[in-house]
Amino acid sequence: MRTAETGIRILALSCPIAFVAALLAAAPGVGNAAELYEGKRVALVIGFKPGGTADADGRLIARHLPNHIPGNPAFVVRNMPGAGGIK
């Protein structure tokens, strides 16, 4: 297996984890994070077509994330397939 392919797979699998980490890291810097996210919709973009493992993982994450973010924002899952998840 080529290293470029391995790097892309690792990046594709770590994207949801990186997204969650970035979202949670940004929240404490704001005075009141509940006000920042309350009533908002957050798009969770999945780089693969619906019905795959990445789609199922993304939808599972999107279902449980609002419980852990102040303000309880709504998460909308969007699939954007193309370029092996890089698009």
Side-chain angles (χ1 to χ4, degrees), residues 18-60:
F19 170 75
V20 171
L23 191 61
L24 294 177
V30 178
N32 188 359
E35 292 177 5
L36 179 66
Y37 292 112
E38 191 165 359
K40 303 284 174 112
R41 286 189 295 167
V42 179
L44 180 62
V45 179
I46 300 171
F48 298 95
K49 59 185 174 182
T53 306
D55 182 51
D57 292 343
R59 291 182 189 278
L60 181 66

Side-chain angles (χ1 to χ4, degrees), residues 4 19 21-23 39 45 47 57 65 68-69 72 75-77:
F19 170 75
L23 191 61
V45 179
D57 292 343
L65 262 181
H68 302 283
I69 296 178
N72 199 14
F75 277 80
V76 179
V77 177

